[in-house]
Amino acid sequence: MSGTGQPAAPAPAPAPSKGGADERLLRTSPLRRLLGRPELGSVVGAAAVFLFFTIVADSFLQASSLGTVLYAASTIGIMAAPVALLMIGGEFDLSAGVLVTSSALISSMFSYQMTANVWVGVFVSLLVTLAVGAFNGFMLTRTKLPSFIITLGTFLMLTGLNLGFTKLISETVSTKAIGDMEGFESARKVFASQLTIGDVEFKVTILWWAALVAVATWILLRTRFGNWIFAVGGEADAARAVGVPVIRTKIGLYLGVAFAAWVSGQHLLFSYDVVQSGEGVGNELTYIIAAVIGGCLITGGYGSAIGSAVGAFIFGMTSKGIVYAEWNPDWFKFFLGAMLLLATLLNAWVRKRAEATK
Amino acid sequence: MARVRTGVRAMGAVLAAVLGASLVGCSSTGGKRAEERAAEAAEGRSAVSTPRWTFAMVTHSGDGDTFWDIVQKGSEQAAAKDNINFLYSHNDEAQQQAQLVQTAIDKKVDGLIVTLAKPDAMKAVVAKAVKAGIPVITVNSGSAESKAFGALTHIGQDESIAGEAVGDELDERGRKKALCILHEQGNVGHEQRCAGAKKSFAGTMQNLYVDGTNMPDVQASIEAKLQADRSIDAVVTLGAPFADAAVQAKATAGSKAEIDTFDLNAKVAAGLKEKKLGFAVDQQPYLQGYEAVDLLWLYRYNRNVLGGGLPVLTGPQVITSDDADALAAYTKRGTR
């Protein structure tokens, strides 16, 4: 269906078929199993959006456009994968968007103020970012308040800290340029380089994205931790009763989000070399939307990491496709909303059909 | 208990490792030390012995805006010189901004500086200030309304005129098809700039809206547009931070377009110098802040009013690679 060589919409993850000992697997055909995957609807939606823009926008199908669309999708997708896992685990993270900015600010300012090799800043930033993730997880499991409230608090605090600290340290609202510091070039290679294939430029974030989705999928489908995620998202009390370490699982999920925020933040820093402290507000919703389009339920317990990638891809295709189609920019947000709604409706419809045939 | 202690010890070890690494892993280029070496000791102290008046400035700036940061720097410097107790507050919601002005009136400040980005919402509260006998100066936006609202004068740039300056400059550079990048949908000043540029530009100009809080998205959108339309030969961004994203988008898209921008910062100055950017239109935000405080002081001290009822323009000043060198040091310290 979507087989125009789209790396972001591959055939859904290989179902654990080779083992073959489970009676639930023996009775269903591979096609049925494919139809039961949570991301199926979104794959169909992605194919529809792709076809649509291929028809209405001449330049959409160019190879160079593919690089651009994939880049736009990857910056969302890197965060959407751990956010999807978190949502399957039944929780939200509203601080994810600004945490990306925080992470970039920390590396930049630490390196600059200490006049240290930028890799030192990058490492410190990883520790601090993970600490914020752990804070979210601890607060959530300790206070038993909804994650919506906890992470809303973190979101506001981080927004204030980003601005406050940046101004306190740099005396302006953006960081100082660190492009002339040692280690910058190598760090840029890791976080913000470009790979030229043919004459198309692909950003390295696409690789990070693919790797994170692969790891997330592996965790979800092949590890014990993956089972715990589904269990705590489905019914936390029942999960606890059968011995699932609910607290550890939830903290782990927040650490995952924090790690991805670190990767995104470093990309931000090393591609622009200066970071604006006010950025990132509102992006947390984009990540959640990508995960939901990809088939994650807002109530938890259901979804997939590949789905989040497809969701991010739909988002990237829609937001850039509108530009390729050269539609009147005054209506941009309307088109974006309408396309996303349509893709999600198609997604829901396909899933319903798939479940009906079970 | 024992586990807690190991945790603390582990954390201590990590911290020690980080500090150690930062000492060992020093950068011999750039960084704060380089800045300190270059820094000059310029301590601000007041130059006059007038009473310590309190002036308040209330703007429509959002959090962490580079432009308003520079305005504030100008104000603070003038306040230090004029022995003024300077209060700054801001909110991008018109209603909240009006409430902030009200609190300044409640505090019985000796002078008030406001922006009129959303004039209708500010009308009543500015009238209240005038009625309370507080001299008001408007800055940045609201040149048309300033006088009618009872302000002493207006200091700022006329956005349409600034836009027209861009159009003329593009003509001079022989550009035919330009793109205007708006990073805030619905901002009146932004629309006026692009409209002004469109008006005076002999070629064609299109608008493109991007999400200003998401830099990678800004870049990808510009990239997409440049790929979709190969004939675009000029891109104009409305804020300094977006110029760099446009430069990168141009490279990825393999476009030949010239990148131009409104406003200045250190990166833009460097970009102009390296000819990555064509020109920048500066409205001198430092001047807007500095002059506003200074003119209020002049009014308090000597009943002077500048402008003779007409707005005092701080821009547009067109900056090219020729001027970039001289401005680089000022952009670095954040006052240009």
Side-chain angles (χ1 to χ4, degrees), chain B residues 160 163-164 167-168 171 193-202 205:
Chain B
S160 303
E164 285 168 30
D168 291 337
D171 277 337
R193 286 178 180 183
C194 290
K198 203 179 250 174
K199 192 174 140 203
S200 66
F201 183 39
M205 179 173 252

Side-chain angles (χ1 to χ4, degrees), chain A residues 59 64 68 112-113 115 117 124 163 167 171-172 176 180 182 203 271-272 276 280 320 324 326 329-330, chain B residues 18 25 27-29 32-33 35 64 66 69 73 207 209 213 217 219-221 223-225 227-228 248 267:
Chain A
S59 40
S64 58
T68 305
Y112 191 88
Q113 292 302 319
T115 320
N117 187 306
V124 170
L163 184 57
K167 242 186 134 173
E171 288 170 348
T172 67
K176 311 263 186 187
D180 57 350
E182 273 175 20
K203 293 268 167 32
S271 47
Y272 301 107
Q276 309 287 324
K320 299 304 156 253
Y324 286 118
E326 307 209 279
D330 295 348
Chain B
V18 168
S27 169
S28 57
T29 50
K32 186 180 179 134
R33 217 169 296 150
E35 182 195 40
T66 334
D69 197 44
K73 281 224 169 85
N207 288 0
Y209 295 97
T213 56
D217 183 74
Q219 187 185 330
S221 290
E223 240 173 72
K225 186 72 187 179
Q227 285 161 349
Q248 298 198 26
K267 275 226 111 164

Side-chain angles (χ1 to χ4, degrees), chain B residues 99-115:
Chain B
Q99 285 173 13
L100 288 171
V101 175
Q102 182 59 52
T103 61
I105 297 171
D106 296 342
K107 268 187 241 169
K108 299 195 169 60
V109 294
D110 302 295
L112 186 62
I113 302 157
V114 291
T115 63

Side-chain angles (χ1 to χ4, degrees), chain B residues 42-123:
Chain B
E43 273 300 310
R45 58 179 79 84
S46 70
V48 293
S49 56
T50 45
R52 193 161 174 80
W53 290 311
T54 299
F55 294 169
M57 181 182 220
V58 184
T59 73
H60 66 275
S61 158
D63 279 338
D65 188 305
T66 334
F67 180 91
W68 287 101
D69 197 44
I70 302 175
V71 175
Q72 220 180 313
K73 281 224 169 85
S75 306
E76 274 161 8
Q77 213 126 19
K81 189 202 69 180
D82 293 341
N83 193 25
I84 297 297
N85 176 27
F86 179 71
L87 309 170
Y88 179 80
S89 55
H90 66 95
N91 202 301
D92 48 4
E93 302 268 341
Q95 197 196 356
Q96 300 285 330
Q97 194 196 348
Q99 285 173 13
L100 288 171
V101 175
Q102 182 59 52
T103 61
I105 297 171
D106 296 342
K107 268 187 241 169
K108 299 195 169 60
V109 294
D110 302 295
L112 186 62
I113 302 157
V114 291
T115 63
L116 303 179
K118 286 123 186 170
D120 295 332
M122 301 297 292
K123 190 172 183 176

Side-chain angles (χ1 to χ4, degrees), chain A residues 42-94:
Chain A
S42 59
V43 171
V44 175
V49 172
F50 185 83
L51 264 178
F52 177 74
F53 281 114
T54 308
I55 294 164
V56 300
D58 299 332
S59 40
F60 186 72
L61 217 50
Q62 285 172 169
S64 58
S65 307
L66 180 68
T68 305
V69 168
L70 278 178
Y71 173 52
S74 70
T75 54
I76 299 167
I78 286 175
M79 290 303 291
V83 166
L85 255 53
L86 183 67
M87 285 178 69
I88 296 169
E91 304 295 346
F92 273 105
D93 190 348
L94 297 180

